[in-house]
Amino acid sequence: MSPPPDQALWDIPDMAKLSISGVSKAYGATVALSHGDLDLEAGEVHVLIGSNGSGKSTLCKIVAGSVKPDKGKVVLDGAPVAVSGPRAAKALGIGIFYQELSLAARRTVEENICLPDLPMTGPFVDRKALSARAARYIALFDGVTGEDFAANTTVDVLRADQRQLVEIMKTLATEAPVLIFDEPTSALDRTQVDRFFEILRRLKGEGRAIVFISHRMDEIFAIGDRVTVLRDGRTVGTTRIADTSPAEVVRMMVGEETSLVVPAQAEAAASPGAVALSLRGLSGKGFSEVSFDLRQGEILGFGGLHGQGQSAVLRALFGAAPAAAGDIALDGQPFVPANPRVAIRAGIAYVSGDRGRDGIIQGRTILENVTPIHFLRNRLKLASASTLRAKATPALAALNTKFAGFSHPIGSLSGGNQQKIVIARWLIDRPQVLLLDDPTKGIDLSAKADLFALVRKLAQEGMAIILYSSEDVELLANADRILVFNAGRVTRELTGTDRTRFHLYEAAYEAA
């Protein structure tokens, strides 16, 4: 097997338990994985690492049979195999922990652990056998599961960390020789992680072959034997953990450090004005001790791996989620966003990338979708359609929005134009602070270009803007400075020439 030409390091064992070569997967024009290679030995914990969208999860899902590859080869114990589906994977001795938990919410802990192979006596579940089997895996985490955790507790009442432990127990209960764990520790505390690592070391000693994905660099070096790095859908190298360092792993993830220059647009940003928004020690669900000042005319970027508290902070500022502690000041005055209505009337706008949940009003016209904030800001009860059209037209034109008429349903538009409608509704009455929560998710390149051209123009006109994006290029090209989040905290601020992919990844993967 020949490695990809841009490969940095390659360390292949003489005989692998599982070997994957040249695997690819595309969804239409979107390439999720272009050249995936992995060689997994028995008796090792093999780490997969890469940035968001690098192809890690796709590679694992192909091995587990939940995604069918477009091409490539999977070899198990020296023999080519076709993993046609999850049942085939199970029959081959492959078990997987999915980062999107696969638990049945209304079933008990013990039922979930034993799914999908519940012990049966005739047509009935053998409750005694089920309890005995589940108890073996619950006992592995005795003392770290927390209060209100029991075998007969339904999963829907468990905390996030407890649900994640159940998913781990369910994976362990497969007793598979090959185990894949896709971000199994994201919701766990330190004592739970330590116990899980004890179990993994024991399984490794028994000869199990284990794939482990994590975004926490300290975990990777604590549990891994080897690490394979993916970048932009390709496997770029494999090395032994003992022979590398966190900085070298980051370099493999981003390519040559010297090529990662600061974009000219961000470098040439105008000097910001007075402080528009100030946070001191803000804490809440998913974030803690967040402090920063946002100035007029500034685009402040929120960076880091997905789900590290960026969206939670933005939603708290908009009043969509409560803050438990800390202080917020708006234009120098204390501000408490008790709910979105309060935030909107104070001049705070929020654009979510999840337009289906937080943006468009399904089944309504374009006019009805673009004007609700105008009604709220101005406390209107009635307004003529002609007046509303006149108000909305400049905002829609600024984004190059393409639509046939205001009376057409929102569902008649492309995803990019739907998102432009959502953004335009905030621009009819200009806000003081614009919160952009991964706003380009699922929209085309042309729509992205229109959006960021307008965002930079708004900043030049004095608007204070926070931009969170899961696409690093968007942050680096548009943010004046970037706050990097890790485990709900700001771990580093990147300014000036430090705004590079290398420093962004390095900060994102630092230990929390």
Side-chain angles (χ1 to χ4, degrees):
M1 178 182 68
S2 299
D6 61 343
Q7 179 175 308
L9 295 169
W10 200 262
D11 181 6
I12 300 175
D14 294 331
M15 177 61 184
K17 173 71 176 176
L18 176 71
S19 181
I20 304 156
S21 57
V23 172
S24 68
K25 180 64 182 178
Y27 299 92
T30 302
V31 179
L33 189 65
S34 60
H35 193 119
D37 297 316
L38 177 68
D39 287 275
L40 176 64
E41 292 180 294
E44 78 161 336
V45 175
H46 195 124
V47 174
L48 279 185
I49 192 170
S51 63
N52 294 327
S54 63
K56 305 181 302 296
S57 293
T58 301
L59 183 62
C60 290
K61 288 175 180 178
I62 287 171
V63 177
S66 57
V67 168
K68 184 179 180 180
D70 296 328
K71 63 179 180 180
K73 184 169 65 174
V74 178
V75 176
L76 184 66
D77 291 325
V81 295
V83 191
S84 57
R87 288 183 180 275
K90 184 177 182 298
L92 290 167
I94 300 169
I96 185 168
F97 171 103
Y98 291 103
Q99 60 174 291
E100 307 93 356
L101 303 187
S102 62
L103 302 176
R106 298 299 178 90
R107 296 285 186 174
T108 65
V109 168
E110 62 183 11
E111 287 172 333
N112 271 280
I113 291 171
C114 296
L115 285 172
D117 296 320
L118 297 174
M120 306 294 291
T121 300
F124 303 104
V125 174
D126 186 335
R127 289 287 168 182
K128 185 175 181 180
L130 181 145
S131 297
R133 181 181 172 198
R136 295 200 299 271
Y137 301 99
I138 295 173
L140 294 174
F141 292 91
D142 185 44
V144 300
T145 54
E147 297 179 358
D148 302 322
F149 185 95
N152 60 356
T153 304
T154 55
V155 164
D156 59 348
V157 301
L158 297 179
R159 302 190 310 264
D161 62 309
Q162 293 172 326
R163 292 195 299 272
Q164 199 153 38
L165 288 175
V166 175
E167 186 79 19
I168 291 172
M169 295 173 195
K170 179 180 176 181
T171 306
L172 295 175
T174 65
E175 294 292 344
V178 176
L179 292 169
I180 301 169
F181 291 97
D182 188 357
E183 296 191 47
T185 61
S186 58
L188 304 186
D189 64 28
R190 176 48 55 188
T191 59
Q192 292 166 335
V193 171
D194 288 345
R195 178 66 60 83
F196 178 48
F197 282 4
E198 289 176 11
I199 295 166
L200 290 186
R201 293 185 184 102
R202 193 181 316 148
L203 294 173
K204 182 177 75 170
E206 296 172 0
R208 306 280 188 96
I210 301 166
V211 175
F212 179 79
I213 297 177
S214 175
H215 289 311
R216 297 173 178 171
M217 196 65 75
D218 60 331
E219 292 184 357
I220 289 165
F221 278 78
I223 195 61
D225 297 299
R226 291 189 300 150
V227 56
T228 288
V229 180
L230 284 87
R231 182 175 73 240
D232 300 327
R234 297 175 66 86
T235 298
V236 297
T238 298
T239 187
R240 297 193 182 280
I241 291 288
D243 297 333
T244 191
S245 67
E248 179 58 33
V249 171
V250 171
R251 272 190 284 273
M252 291 173 69
M253 290 167 57
V254 301
E256 292 297 325
E257 180 180 357
T258 55
S259 69
L260 305 172
V261 295
V262 178
Q265 285 177 174
E267 190 65 38
S271 299
V275 173
L277 181 70
S278 180
L279 275 65
R280 292 294 179 268
L282 196 70
S283 299
K285 186 176 181 180
F287 61 96
S288 56
E289 295 295 325
V290 175
S291 300
F292 62 82
D293 290 330
L294 172 67
R295 294 181 175 274
Q296 296 171 356
E298 178 182 32
I299 302 175
L300 175 63
F302 279 8
L305 297 165
H306 182 68
Q308 300 300 305
Q310 305 97 323
S311 294
V313 172
L314 295 180
R315 291 179 66 82
L317 290 173
F318 187 60
D327 298 305
I328 303 171
L330 186 64
D331 281 339
Q333 300 299 314
F335 175 62
V336 179
N339 54 56
R341 185 184 298 268
V342 170
I344 291 167
R345 287 184 170 154
I348 294 179
Y350 172 80
V351 177
S352 169
D354 190 345
R355 59 181 175 274
R357 184 191 69 180
D358 300 324
I360 62 172
I361 307 169
Q362 293 283 6
R364 296 292 184 174
T365 66
I366 291 169
L367 185 63
E368 289 172 304
N369 268 273
V370 79
T371 54
I373 302 303
H374 176 65
F375 272 82
L376 184 59
R377 286 284 300 271
N378 294 278
R379 303 177 188 270
L380 298 178
K381 293 183 178 179
L382 294 172
S384 70
S386 59
T387 299
L388 294 175
R389 286 195 294 269
K391 290 280 187 181
T393 297
L396 293 168
L399 284 158
N400 294 320
T401 313
K402 296 178 175 61
F403 63 103
F406 282 100
S407 61
H408 284 241
I410 189 73
S412 67
L413 301 181
S414 67
N417 282 300
Q418 286 184 15
Q419 188 70 333
K420 287 180 180 182
I421 297 291
V422 172
I423 295 166
R425 71 166 58 135
W426 296 102
L427 304 181
I428 295 173
D429 302 284
R430 291 292 178 95
Q432 297 183 62
V433 177
L434 177 59
L435 309 177
L436 300 172
D437 189 358
D438 217 359
T440 64
K441 190 187 300 180
I443 67 174
D444 59 56
L445 292 175
S446 176
K448 289 182 182 183
D450 290 338
L451 168 61
F452 285 119
L454 179 62
V455 166
R456 290 190 293 272
K457 182 174 182 291
L458 292 173
Q460 290 168 2
E461 294 171 355
M463 190 177 294
I465 299 169
I466 299 178
L467 168 65
Y468 164 54
S469 175
S470 55
E471 296 191 27
D472 304 325
V473 172
E474 292 181 357
L475 280 180
L476 293 168
N478 294 286
D480 301 322
R481 58 192 176 101
I482 300 171
L483 302 181
V484 184
F485 281 70
N486 189 315
R489 296 176 179 269
V490 176
T491 57
R492 194 184 301 182
E493 179 179 346
L494 303 180
T495 60
T497 56
D498 284 341
R499 297 193 316 279
T500 66
R501 283 185 73 192
F502 177 82
H503 289 116
L504 186 56
Y505 282 26
E506 183 181 52
Y509 280 86
E510 284 177 344

